[in-house]
Each structure stands twice: as structure tokens, then as C-alpha cells.
Amino acid sequence: ANAILGHVFTTEVSPSLWEQAEGDIGRAMALDSTVASAWTARGRMAYTAEGGWQFAPALNNYRRALALQPSLVVEGRNQLGGLLFHYGSLTEAREQLEVSLSLDPRDGCGDRSRCVGFSTPRIARVLWYGQQFEAALAMYDRIPFLGPWAWEKAVILNALGRTEEGIALLESSEGQAAGLGDREAALGLLHATLG
């Protein structure tokens, strides 16, 4: 269910996949409601466009998962941290992401030259949302491979008055986009900044 919901969230909205994930969660809960990953799947399901972007149920499900398994990094702390920064709870989001990074210093990556990770770029985003642009840029600079998240660093460069550098970064990242239009939106923003 978690794998399906990750796919639905980023690339393919499909009623059949949604129903499959919902069925998987129901079966998992019926078999053993103390399995933390079933609770994270419920959290992910609540916080999707199809689920109505339900903050409170998602938050409760992630907290329940972490109460059951505090070491649940990717499905638990990372997802909770991401949810919290979207709703402006920057301090708590950063705390969750830093705990996640301390539990998994490789940030979910086997090869950092081809993997972005999750916690490091999300901590950078927390800093960005808090308008700590220099600190955010320093975090993005620590990531060897930005891949589809180059747009975030470009937006930070723009905020720091380094718009042309941000455009160059975006142009060099073409073909690495995650398919969500973020790169193109950032490119539009930076070109608009230049008039």
C-alpha cells in the first residue's frame, strides 16, 4: 500500500491503484493493527488529492505509527516531517527530519551520487520556508545529486539574488524532472524575476 501510494502521489492518479491501496491497508489492519507501516499507509492515503488532503487524520496516523515503532524512518518520520512543514510547523518538522537523519545518516541512499535522499532536502526546505535562505542553500550544497529537486535550489538562488545561476542550474537539470512540472514552474518564476 505504501509503495502504491507513493506512486499515486508522484506520478499516476488511478482509481484502481487507489482502491488496491485501500484494500491492502484494510487487510493489513485486519491481520494486525499494531503494524506501524499500516498506520503510515493510512496517513499517506489521507494526505493525497484523492484523500482530500486531510491533515489531522494523516497527522494522527503518522503519530500512531511512530508510537508503535519509533525507529520507522522513511515511512514514519520522513512522512511526518514532510506533512508538518507543509502546514507551517517548521520547528517540529525539522526535529522529525533530523531524528530521521540521525537514524539513517545515508538518508535512504545506497549511492549518494545518484540519490537525493529525503531528510536533507526537506530540512533545506524547512529553512527555505523559514526564510533562512543562506542556511537552506548550504544544505542543498551538501547534496551531491539533486536530480529532480534542482528546482528547489534554483528558487533559493533566486531568493538570494542569484537568479541567472538558478536558471543555469535548471537548464542543466532538464530531463531529470519528476514529471510534476516543478522545474518548469521554477524556470518561469526565475525568468519573471528577470523581467
Side-chain angles (χ1 to χ4, degrees):
N2 273 303
I4 291 168
L5 290 166
H7 186 68
V8 167
F9 189 82
T10 57
T11 55
E12 182 183 348
V13 176
S14 164
S16 64
L17 286 176
W18 179 263
E19 289 170 12
Q20 182 181 346
E22 192 171 38
D24 289 346
I25 293 167
R27 281 188 293 284
M29 289 290 196
L31 289 169
D32 186 351
S33 65
T34 66
V35 174
S37 61
W39 289 93
T40 61
R42 282 181 58 171
R44 290 183 86 170
M45 184 163 256
Y47 193 68
T48 61
E50 294 77 18
W53 302 112
Q54 299 177 66
F55 175 74
L59 182 67
N60 292 336
N61 284 307
Y62 290 133
R63 290 197 193 285
R64 175 75 173 136
L66 289 169
L68 291 167
Q69 187 180 345
S71 64
L72 193 63
V73 176
V74 175
E75 295 172 14
R77 295 205 182 273
N78 286 347
Q79 293 297 324
L80 177 57
L83 178 69
L84 290 166
F85 76 66
H86 280 299
Y87 277 84
S89 299
L90 300 182
T91 301
E92 188 179 357
R94 186 171 179 178
E95 289 169 1
Q96 291 295 332
L97 294 165
E98 286 177 349
V99 169
S100 178
L101 200 52
S102 74
L103 293 169
D104 178 14
R106 291 174 43 185
D107 206 6
C109 294
D111 179 357
R112 293 292 295 190
S113 68
R114 299 185 329 170
C115 174
V116 180
F118 189 90
S119 298
T120 306
R122 299 290 76 69
I123 291 169
R125 190 183 276 194
V126 166
L127 293 166
W128 159 24
Y129 285 7
Q131 299 190 18
Q132 299 174 45
F133 301 120
E134 291 287 352
L137 182 59
M139 288 294 291
Y140 287 112
D141 285 344
R142 288 179 33 202
I143 303 169
F145 172 74
L146 285 172
W149 304 109
W151 72 270
E152 293 184 0
K153 183 176 179 180
V155 170
I156 297 304
L157 289 166
N158 185 59
L160 291 169
R162 296 163 58 182
T163 304
E164 290 183 6
E165 189 178 339
I167 290 172
L169 173 63
L170 289 169
E171 288 174 349
S172 71
S173 70
E174 188 170 9
Q176 298 177 19
L180 300 174
D182 294 324
R183 179 190 166 276
E184 291 74 16
L187 198 53
L189 169 70
L190 272 63
H191 280 295
T193 300
L194 293 177

